[in-house]
Amino acid sequence: KELALLEEKVANARKEYDYNIFQLTEIDSLNPVAGEFQKLEEDFSLLSNAEAIGAVLTELVFSVYDDENSIYNRLNILRKQLSALATNPSLKELAAKMETIIAEVKDLYHEADEINGTVGSDSMSLEVLTQRLNTYNNILHKHGFKTDAELLNFSTELKEKVNRIEDFGNEIKLLTHHQKEQKDALTALAKTLTANRKKIIPTLEKELATMLKELGIPDAVVQINLLPLENFNEFGLDKAAIFFSANKGMQPAPVADAASGGELSRLMLCFKYLLADSALLPTIIFDEIDSGISGEIALRVGNMLKKLSRKHQVLAITHLPQIAAIGNQHLLVFKQTEKGSTQTSLRPLSATDRIHEIAKMIAGNNPSNINIATAKELLGE
């Protein structure tokens, strides 16, 4: 059952597996790196405007420092003049501020000069950058993402889904192996069970024939055949087919076709009698076990029920006085109709009522004294 559920999960997941693999392969071919997309956009903006940026930076470097009349030189001259005339605190403070500004101007020059040296219009680098940026944009747009972080998270989810399917495959292999081990073990047990059944069947057939002879079927033959099953059930790998013959010269046939009502009742009684202890049944109910029998045979059936009651509680629904008289307690089942409704009731009988009821079973609703005496005799009184 566990394997079947797992296989169903795999079947559902397989529908997405190939598509997930396709998407994962596409993303892996890009090999995205966290923060790369933003850097590509920045580099693209820089390279695509390299000429204009270079012109501005060149002018900035020249105006700030390289020109003889540069900002740096002019500020430096003014600072020296001011320092020479700085006789009061406010002028000294102003001269100090100029020194700071001149230092920042020099830093501005170095930074602009350094950037200007790295900015170029290399068409090949721009082409490679543009291709990668376009690939990024296509994949991001395809999945509705705006950042490479979203794309990387999606890639992780796809890998987890794919790995889950592959894990399912491994789990199925383990379960299949475990199932095979269990089936082999069950097969071994079933074969042992079949062998034990074959061993006991001859004894059981003989005992059934002996008991049926005592119950008035002297020529009874019972055959129990084991029919193999294609698959296991709760009883193993085979089922029992019962064949029966009540008369000499007749081939045993399926019991449902070969046995009369009375014969079938006695056969079932014998089976239950032999198997009662093995089945561990606290209570056994016989519904009209007396069907088709009377006289001495009914007494024998009653005695068998009495023996069976030594280890089990036996309830017998009967119309025969021979069987009713053997019981330890007698319950009367009767019907009453009131206001158009029929109800079935059950009433325990006293010793006196029991004698009268058994006499009625012998002779009808108006039993004679002789019938009552016979009832007492059956009850052992």
Side-chain angles (χ1 to χ4, degrees), residues 72 97-110:
Y72 176 81
K97 285 183 178 180
M98 287 188 69
E99 285 188 15
T100 302
I101 292 172
I102 289 169
E104 290 181 355
V105 168
K106 192 171 183 179
D107 289 341
L108 175 64
Y109 156 74
H110 286 300

Side-chain angles (χ1 to χ4, degrees), residues 107-257:
D107 289 341
L108 175 64
Y109 156 74
H110 286 300
E111 188 173 344
D113 189 48
E114 183 179 352
I115 294 174
N116 192 30
T118 61
V119 174
S121 57
D122 188 337
S123 59
M124 184 61 72
S125 296
L126 181 60
E127 181 181 352
V128 171
L129 188 148
T130 302
Q131 287 178 351
R132 183 154 181 79
L133 189 60
N134 286 339
T135 303
Y136 254 111
N137 279 318
N138 288 336
I139 294 180
L140 289 173
H141 178 73
K142 179 178 180 179
H143 297 290
F145 300 142
K146 293 183 179 180
T147 66
D148 50 23
E150 292 175 304
L151 186 62
L152 287 167
N153 288 336
F154 180 61
S155 175
T156 300
E157 291 175 5
L158 287 176
K159 288 176 182 177
E160 289 176 354
K161 288 181 179 180
V162 169
N163 289 337
R164 199 175 303 129
I165 297 297
E166 293 171 352
D167 289 341
F168 279 158
N170 293 331
E171 193 171 347
I172 285 176
K173 288 181 181 178
L174 290 174
L175 284 175
T176 301
H177 178 70
H178 182 57
Q179 186 182 58
K180 183 180 181 303
E181 288 182 337
Q182 289 185 321
K183 186 175 181 180
D184 291 343
L186 283 174
T187 300
L189 290 173
K191 287 181 177 179
T192 300
L193 183 59
T194 299
N196 290 337
R197 285 171 176 164
K198 288 180 178 179
K199 191 182 298 182
I200 197 64
I201 281 175
T203 302
L204 182 59
E205 291 174 339
K206 187 176 180 181
E207 289 180 349
L208 286 169
T210 300
M211 293 177 70
L212 288 170
K213 184 176 181 179
E214 293 178 4
L215 295 180
I217 313 177
D219 298 317
V221 175
V222 180
Q223 289 181 355
I224 302 173
N225 300 324
L226 294 181
L227 305 179
L229 300 174
E230 291 185 6
N231 298 304
F232 288 101
N233 65 17
E234 63 269 34
F235 304 111
L237 271 175
D238 45 47
K239 65 177 181 178
I242 301 172
F243 286 70
F244 175 76
S245 170
N247 304 301
K248 283 185 178 181
M250 292 184 62
Q251 283 293 111
V255 67
D257 301 327

Side-chain angles (χ1 to χ4, degrees), residues 42 75 87 239 316:
E42 293 172 356
L75 284 174
T87 56
K239 65 177 181 178

Side-chain angles (χ1 to χ4, degrees), residues 9-28:
K9 285 183 180 179
V10 172
N12 293 331
R14 281 283 180 191
K15 296 175 183 177
E16 300 180 10
Y17 180 76
D18 292 339
Y19 183 56
N20 289 339
I21 286 290
F22 169 76
Q23 294 182 102
L24 191 57
T25 301
E26 185 179 50
I27 295 173
D28 285 346

